[in-house]
Amino acid sequence: MYHGIASSDVTLDALLRLALDAAFDAVIIHKPDGTLLYWNEVAARDAGFPTTDVVPVPPWGFSPSPHAVRKKRLEEIERVGFSRFLSSTVEYDGSKHVIEVSARWFTTDQGPVIISIARDVTEQTDAEAALREMALHDSLTGLANRNMLEERMKMAVASAERHGDILGLMFIDLDDFKPVNDSFGHDVGDSVLCALARRLEAGIRAEDTVARVGGDEFVIVLPRLMRPEDLTVAAQKVLSMIREPIDVEGEIINVDATIGHALFDNGHDDSHGLMIRADLAMYQGRRAGIHINGAETIR
């Protein structure tokens, strides 16, 4: 929209309005009680109203944030004079956006006003979320990777140390998985790994974590078990799930595994030691021909 200003009308106020309407960010000025004093063309467009037919709204009224949240923001702005926050908004067309708002309190002759500058950061936050997803999840299966596993392990160990929770860990290694890739191809092998990942995710509790830590190696963290023997029961269930035939485009693939498991020994263990003991139990079980093998408690 082009705005013409006659030379006789070129005032500072007119130029400021032109500058605000030319801005890429939304600019909103309102009183603390929500009385709308001004918003520029970007704000009007984002709200879905033409600039000639703008309706007053309460502070950040298009945000679905609860009233208590908006009230707290206003109190912070009044107390410290400034606030910056992210707000999820629903625009007139129903699309959801993430808005970064910088709001500042000003005292004028007509009373206090709040000037807010709002910027749509949806693409930026989506990109950051995608990067976080990549950093914490295995690219093939979507399971937790080593980074997320380490975070979950630290949380589980801290809870076990603080509350005396029973914490268990399983280290799973698929038996002779290389022939699957050699006989059927890596695409089929990848499909098998993804199918196993979905089974493991479906077979655990919401508080458990399944991670892929190698080509055919998985780890399951089981915090807050009811009884120590529940870890062995869970390992037997996992082995049964792995052994169920997998149909990949008409090819029936059978997979087996060796599972080593260990219980966290409060006062003698840490997350690294727990992982080593479960891994060692898996290798000992494989050498002995035992598919499920538990590590002894450290004393």
Side-chain angles (χ1 to χ4, degrees), residues 39 43-49 57 60-65 70 87-99 120 122:
W39 60 8
R45 183 195 65 211
D46 290 347
F49 295 98
V57 294
W60 314 297
F62 289 98
S63 168
S65 301
R70 297 199 294 268
S87 178
S88 298
T89 67
V90 180
E91 295 195 3
Y92 69 98
D93 61 356
S95 61
K96 295 181 180 180
H97 290 251
V98 179
I99 307 298
D120 192 324
T122 305

Side-chain angles (χ1 to χ4, degrees), residues 200 216 296:
L200 294 176
D216 56 1
E296 293 185 5

Side-chain angles (χ1 to χ4, degrees), residues 132-150 152 170 172 174 190-205 208-221 238 241-242:
R132 286 194 298 271
E133 182 77 10
M134 292 173 59
L136 296 175
H137 290 83
D138 174 56
S139 59
L140 174 64
T141 63
L143 295 177
N145 62 11
R146 286 185 178 273
N147 292 333
M148 180 179 281
L149 175 63
E150 185 176 349
R152 297 289 176 84
M170 280 187 265
I172 305 164
L174 302 183
D190 288 349
S191 296
V192 171
L193 291 173
C194 290
L196 289 175
R198 300 290 79 77
R199 285 183 185 177
L200 294 176
E201 281 189 316
I204 64 171
R205 304 169 302 167
D208 299 337
T209 299
V210 185
R212 182 182 179 218
V213 295
D216 56 1
E217 295 177 334
F218 301 85
V219 169
I220 303 181
V221 184
V238 166
M241 288 190 296
I242 292 174

Side-chain angles (χ1 to χ4, degrees), residues 26-131:
V27 180
I28 303 170
I29 305 175
H30 60 79
K31 293 182 179 180
D33 65 3
T35 302
L36 187 67
L37 301 177
Y38 170 82
W39 60 8
N40 67 350
E41 286 187 2
V42 175
R45 183 195 65 211
D46 290 347
F49 295 98
T51 54
T52 56
D53 188 29
V54 171
V55 296
V57 294
W60 314 297
F62 289 98
S63 168
S65 301
H67 173 73
V69 173
R70 297 199 294 268
K71 183 174 181 292
K72 185 176 180 180
R73 288 171 182 163
L74 284 170
E75 291 173 349
E76 178 186 5
I77 294 170
E78 183 177 8
R79 184 177 68 256
V80 301
F82 177 82
S83 180
R84 177 174 291 159
F85 56 88
L86 293 179
S87 178
S88 298
T89 67
V90 180
E91 295 195 3
Y92 69 98
D93 61 356
S95 61
K96 295 181 180 180
H97 290 251
V98 179
I99 307 298
E100 181 185 62
V101 180
S102 296
R104 189 175 294 276
W105 181 285
F106 290 92
T107 301
T108 71
D109 293 340
Q110 285 73 40
V113 298
I114 296 171
I115 300 179
S116 299
I117 299 176
R119 172 174 297 179
D120 192 324
V121 294
T122 305
E123 291 186 2
Q124 175 184 335
T125 53
D126 287 348
E128 290 173 351
L131 288 174

